[in-house]
Amino acid sequence: VSDNDAIDWREAQALKEADALPAEEGMQVKQRIRELASRDRMLIQDAQKADQEFKHATANQFQNTMAKLGDGISVPLSQQPSKDQLILTFGQVEGEQRYRQIQVAAQAAPDIALLKTATPEQAASLLSRHEARTSSPDYPFDKNVQINIAQTWRDIQAQREADPGAYVLQNSPRVAESYAAFVTASEGKDYAAFEQANQRYLVDSLNEQRRLGITKPGLPKAYVTAVSQDFLQNLKTDPKGAVARMAQTGQLLKDAPYAMQQVATAVGPSGVFAMEGVSPTIVQRLAAINEAKQDSSKLLPTNVKASDVNNAVAKAFAGLTRTFTAQGANSPSFRYMEAAQKLATQR
């Protein structure tokens, strides 16, 4: 019998008994009986509403807790639903089961968080801790925890390989700190501080990527933009400084070909020369020739024969050719130089 049914029965009984009273008194008593019954129904309605809200809030709290723990985020006990809350919401059996699930997830959360900075060997050890046991009273849930951790590790590996520079920047406090110092230095004119911050960031970032087993260490786009702008914007006004800083970057990236290629693509042929330690004079000359490839008047007056332009470009490249022939045709700068020469001679 529901609470409302009980109220209806008591009201009917009371009204029936009131029929035996004198007419005027009976009317007053019946009115009071109906008022009390109406009040009881409202109290029950309020209690039911509060109960529904409590259960809805507890269910949401459970879901949020499990979602955070599943992502490796620690959840304080004060923010977790209690065992009593879960039993009141889901019943004795399911409530106790859900409470145990929180305990299991809470034990796994720190290891999930550790996966973000774990080496492959460390990750294998962490994953082995959470293999589901067939003897578990809640084996399906434990198996889901194991699957979730394994999937988290696969996702982390994919993120590392997709954008390794950005990954270590987001997940390594040391790399984040050194990158912040680099950003600050790149915004000023203290180039000694720039070189120091650049070296510190590249060393920290590449070391962390290698520690994590990343196969192709790389750089975040913002860094590539900053170093390329420093080189390209300062090459004319401060060629020695611009080339020296780019040479430093090239030296630090010599064992990271993918990262080297990221910078090379941004700075162009003259920047590649600089990264390989070519003198500022030659780098400036190549930059001027490349700039002139779309405007031959920067080499010679406009009303000259094409052969004269070609001769002037060939003369400008003569020193470069002698310099890099000794390094062999497989030298990256030699190949860039040949490509730049072809472009420069096109009208």
Side-chain angles (χ1 to χ4, degrees), residues 55-125:
K55 291 180 177 179
H56 180 72
T58 301
N60 282 341
Q61 189 179 13
F62 174 80
Q63 291 174 354
N64 290 336
T65 297
M66 294 300 291
K68 289 180 179 179
L69 294 175
D71 286 338
I73 301 171
S74 176
V75 181
L77 286 174
S78 60
Q79 297 178 16
Q80 299 177 17
S82 68
K83 185 176 182 179
D84 289 340
Q85 280 181 272
L86 293 169
I87 291 174
L88 287 172
T89 300
F90 300 104
Q92 186 71 37
V93 175
E94 186 177 350
E96 290 182 353
Q97 183 183 46
R98 289 184 181 241
Y99 181 72
R100 177 189 174 278
Q101 290 174 358
I102 290 179
Q103 309 312 302
V104 173
Q107 291 175 358
D111 287 347
I112 294 175
L114 286 174
L115 286 176
K116 294 180 180 179
T117 55
T119 64
E121 294 76 15
Q122 291 169 336
S125 176

Side-chain angles (χ1 to χ4, degrees), residues 21-301:
L21 297 173
E24 185 174 347
E25 182 182 356
M27 290 178 59
Q28 293 177 351
V29 171
K30 288 180 179 180
Q31 181 179 356
R32 182 58 178 164
I33 291 170
R34 293 188 179 98
E35 289 175 353
L36 292 173
S38 177
R39 185 202 63 180
D40 289 345
R41 291 188 184 95
M42 291 182 64
L43 290 174
I44 289 174
Q45 186 177 4
D46 290 343
Q48 290 174 340
K49 182 179 179 182
D51 183 61
Q52 290 174 352
E53 290 176 350
F54 169 81
K55 291 180 177 179
H56 180 72
T58 301
N60 282 341
Q61 189 179 13
F62 174 80
Q63 291 174 354
N64 290 336
T65 297
M66 294 300 291
K68 289 180 179 179
L69 294 175
D71 286 338
I73 301 171
S74 176
V75 181
L77 286 174
S78 60
Q79 297 178 16
Q80 299 177 17
S82 68
K83 185 176 182 179
D84 289 340
Q85 280 181 272
L86 293 169
I87 291 174
L88 287 172
T89 300
F90 300 104
Q92 186 71 37
V93 175
E94 186 177 350
E96 290 182 353
Q97 183 183 46
R98 289 184 181 241
Y99 181 72
R100 177 189 174 278
Q101 290 174 358
I102 290 179
Q103 309 312 302
V104 173
Q107 291 175 358
D111 287 347
I112 294 175
L114 286 174
L115 286 176
K116 294 180 180 179
T117 55
T119 64
E121 294 76 15
Q122 291 169 336
S125 176
L126 291 173
L127 294 175
S128 67
R129 293 183 193 176
H130 302 283
E131 292 182 0
R133 299 179 181 179
T134 55
S135 59
S136 168
D138 196 359
Y139 177 78
F141 174 77
D142 292 353
K143 186 66 177 179
N144 283 336
V145 171
Q146 177 185 343
I147 292 171
N148 175 65
I149 295 177
Q151 183 60 53
T152 298
W153 173 237
R154 286 192 292 271
D155 291 343
I156 286 172
Q157 289 178 300
Q159 292 167 15
R160 289 178 179 180
E161 296 299 334
D163 196 343
Y167 182 87
V168 295
L169 180 57
Q170 293 171 358
N171 294 284
S172 167
R174 181 183 179 89
V175 174
E177 181 183 351
S178 59
Y179 182 75
F182 166 78
V183 171
T184 299
S186 67
E187 293 172 347
K189 294 296 183 181
D190 185 345
Y191 294 121
F194 179 94
E195 290 183 11
Q196 183 178 6
N198 184 42
Q199 178 175 358
R200 178 189 171 192
Y201 165 67
L202 286 178
V203 170
D204 286 348
S205 180
L206 295 177
N207 283 346
E208 178 65 4
Q209 291 180 58
R210 294 186 181 108
R211 186 187 73 82
L212 295 177
I214 292 174
T215 56
K216 292 198 314 180
L219 301 166
K221 292 180 181 178
Y223 170 82
V224 174
T225 299
V227 294
S228 61
Q229 285 182 346
D230 170 69
F231 173 74
L232 297 171
Q233 292 175 1
N234 291 295
L235 183 58
K236 289 184 178 180
T237 57
D238 179 25
K240 289 185 178 180
V243 171
R245 292 189 292 278
M246 187 53 62
Q248 178 204 42
T249 299
Q251 182 66 21
L252 292 168
L253 296 178
K254 63 181 181 180
D255 295 325
Y258 174 67
M260 174 83 84
Q261 185 58 46
Q262 287 180 282
V263 177
T265 301
V267 296
S270 55
V272 174
F273 273 104
M275 281 196 290
E276 293 189 358
V278 177
S279 72
T281 301
I282 295 178
V283 172
Q284 265 195 314
R285 190 186 306 170
L286 176 62
I289 292 172
N290 282 334
E291 187 177 353
K293 70 180 182 288
Q294 299 299 330
D295 186 358
S296 61
S297 65
K298 293 182 179 180
L299 291 175
L300 291 172

